[in-house]
Amino acid sequence: MAAGHPADEPAATGDRTAHDRAAQHPEGDEHTAGGCLTGAYRPLGEEGSAREQRPAQESTVPSVRVPERRGPEAVGPASGSASGADRPLLHGTPGTAGVAESGSPDAIRVRRTLAEVGPVADKVTSYFYALLFTRHPDLRSLFPAAMDAQRDRLLKALLTAADHMDDAEVLKEYLQHLGRGHRKYGTEASHYPAVGEALIGALSRYATTTWDDETEAAWVRTYTTISQIMIDAAAENERHAPAWWHAEVVSHDLRTPDIAVVTVRPDQPYPFLAGQYTSLETPWWPRVWRHYSFASAPRSDGLLSFHVKAVPAGWVSNALVHHARPGDVLRLGPPAGSMTVDHSTDNGLLCLGGGTGIAPIKALVEDVAEHGERRPVEVFYGARTDHDLYDIDTMLRLQQSHPWLEVRAIIDGKAQLPDVVREYGPWNEYDAYLSGPPGMIRSSVDALRGIGVPYERIRHDSLDELVAVKS
């Protein structure tokens, strides 16, 4: 959700990595960490105004004022429409017969609502934004001008979080990351009630069968919990980190006609861990942020490198690949992601990188080397064609330098990455690290689980797949 993380381009991106997505956004070239509140929608205050420098507000979220029900003619439809690929992945099926009745009472009511509104996701999305922008027109300018490709991202992220409120461990870390990341957009505590109001209004209009006073109260409590975690995380983060960093491009290496390695120098120290990713804004598309993974472990000279694949119609990725040059200044958000090496164990590393997903895998290898460890590291580098193995020479040089490292290239058509991984092993004493297109991550997780690798030893930064695997 980095080499290209959660996204800035259309969804038809077979070579997009999990970090290439932050969660695979329809308009995007970014990750992982997937479908996330910050990356999954155009957050409030993405413009580079001085307002972004305001301190995070350490306050409690006011109670959400539930709007009275009003017909769509009262507010008008939101502009733009989501394609099938871009629709929010509202969970459930028509009706509520198949809804799981396990979990807390609030979680059960939330899931019933999601099951009912799933078939009318487009209408819920349009009504949500109509309410938000009609009742709070000052917020419209904080979103990108082009809402057609991004309009469902905020609602999808909210509903995804709400649907998994009982998974406290995963969700708390996820929401704290989002809260910290929202600082760069200038998001304030006062914005959250407006979004919650629109959310309750849209759900109450379309969940006509399941909506009642108890369900409304459950949603208010759920949204209040979500937003408070984010606000608290932002306030804590402000004590020791800036909202963003300026970073000057110092080199631009075009590896293929559509893949570039972009190296930048931040204007102040930028602490991060190998395997993490960041959000990035270019001067050509202000207020449009995308996620990219760091392509190396932290360097002594402080430089940061990213692998960027230009995705068709991708604003940010095409700007970085085809227009960025040394001297251009980008903006970086805070580092994020949990796909990092656990140096407290002697377990080997099983690393699967697809396309530009090899970027964070390379960083992990460098991290192991710099710690002086001789843990076995097995890298499977997947690509569509030989031509797409743009960083294979670098990986082979690392293999020559480190006898504990084994690198294998896997070409689509000749073999499938999950199938090849099954043939090797066993992987009983390995931790798995996955970075690549969402489909690759899903199939790889299934393959690893099928041969006995436990979920807790499979790491990647994609909430959607995290949820799917655990459910």
Side-chain angles (χ1 to χ4, degrees), residues 140-212:
R140 181 60 184 89
S141 63
L142 304 183
F143 286 76
M147 288 288 291
D148 54 339
Q150 294 292 334
R151 69 189 188 101
D152 69 322
R153 310 321 300 181
L154 167 56
L155 185 60
K156 174 185 172 181
L158 290 173
L159 297 181
T160 298
D163 193 19
H164 301 281
M165 280 304 295
D166 278 354
D167 193 348
E169 181 181 353
V170 170
L171 206 58
K172 183 176 181 180
E173 181 178 355
Y174 170 65
L175 293 173
Q176 288 175 335
H177 151 60
L178 298 183
R180 291 188 292 267
H182 271 64
R183 291 185 57 215
K184 66 180 179 291
Y185 306 117
T187 305
E188 301 175 3
S190 60
H191 293 150
Y192 287 90
V195 173
E197 175 186 310
L199 174 65
I200 299 298
L203 293 174
S204 65
R205 175 168 179 79
Y206 288 98
T208 56
T209 301
T210 57
W211 198 265
D212 55 24

Side-chain angles (χ1 to χ4, degrees), residues 350-431:
L350 169 60
C351 301
L352 282 60
T356 51
I358 198 63
I361 299 301
K362 182 170 77 73
L364 295 176
V365 171
E366 293 177 353
D367 189 36
V368 172
E370 290 175 6
H371 278 75
E373 298 162 342
R374 298 183 60 83
R375 304 161 61 176
V377 178
E378 302 278 343
V379 173
F380 292 83
Y381 183 179
R384 288 180 171 178
T385 67
D386 292 332
H387 176 74
D388 294 321
L389 293 170
Y390 67 93
D391 212 30
I392 188 64
D393 290 343
T394 302
M395 298 306 299
L396 292 177
R397 284 195 296 271
L398 286 170
Q399 178 180 255
Q400 292 173 355
S401 301
H402 307 295
W404 41 262
L405 173 63
E406 185 75 33
V407 177
R408 299 179 178 89
I410 311 299
I411 304 300
D412 286 355
K414 301 177 182 178
Q416 294 297 313
L417 190 56
D419 295 334
V420 174
V421 172
R422 286 192 193 96
E423 296 176 5
Y424 290 86
W427 306 114
N428 300 333
E429 298 181 358
Y430 284 75
D431 295 328

Side-chain angles (χ1 to χ4, degrees), residues 287-307:
R287 296 192 301 153
V288 179
W289 295 74
R290 297 295 177 260
H291 294 81
Y292 292 94
S293 294
F294 301 106
S296 69
R299 296 167 45 162
S300 59
D301 59 9
L303 298 182
L304 310 172
S305 292
F306 308 97
H307 293 187

Side-chain angles (χ1 to χ4, degrees), residues 242-389:
W244 69 79
W245 288 253
H246 288 103
E248 179 183 354
V249 176
V250 296
S251 71
H252 185 279
D253 179 11
L254 194 63
R255 296 287 183 86
T256 76
D258 60 357
I259 296 177
V261 176
V262 181
T263 302
V264 303
R265 178 185 293 110
D267 62 345
Q268 52 188 309
Y270 190 103
F272 72 98
L273 299 176
Q276 290 191 305
Y277 61 91
T278 187
S279 52
L280 185 154
E281 179 204 52
T282 73
W284 302 279
W285 293 102
R287 296 192 301 153
V288 179
W289 295 74
R290 297 295 177 260
H291 294 81
Y292 292 94
S293 294
F294 301 106
S296 69
R299 296 167 45 162
S300 59
D301 59 9
L303 298 182
L304 310 172
S305 292
F306 308 97
H307 293 187
V308 184
K309 180 180 176 64
V311 180
W315 299 343
V316 174
S317 65
N318 277 279
L320 290 171
V321 172
H322 300 303
H323 300 289
R325 294 294 181 268
D328 292 331
V329 177
L330 314 176
R331 283 204 302 167
L332 306 178
S338 58
M339 198 182 76
T340 56
V341 177
D342 180 0
H343 293 288
S344 67
T345 176
D346 294 329
N347 287 347
L349 276 67
L350 169 60
C351 301
L352 282 60
T356 51
I358 198 63
I361 299 301
K362 182 170 77 73
L364 295 176
V365 171
E366 293 177 353
D367 189 36
V368 172
E370 290 175 6
H371 278 75
E373 298 162 342
R374 298 183 60 83
R375 304 161 61 176
V377 178
E378 302 278 343
V379 173
F380 292 83
Y381 183 179
R384 288 180 171 178
T385 67
D386 292 332
H387 176 74
D388 294 321
L389 293 170

Side-chain angles (χ1 to χ4, degrees), residues 88-93 111 113-116 118 159-160 163-164 464 467:
L89 302 177
L90 303 185
H91 303 275
T93 55
R111 293 189 190 113
T113 305
L114 296 176
E116 183 177 0
L159 297 181
T160 298
D163 193 19
H164 301 281
D464 290 343
V467 169

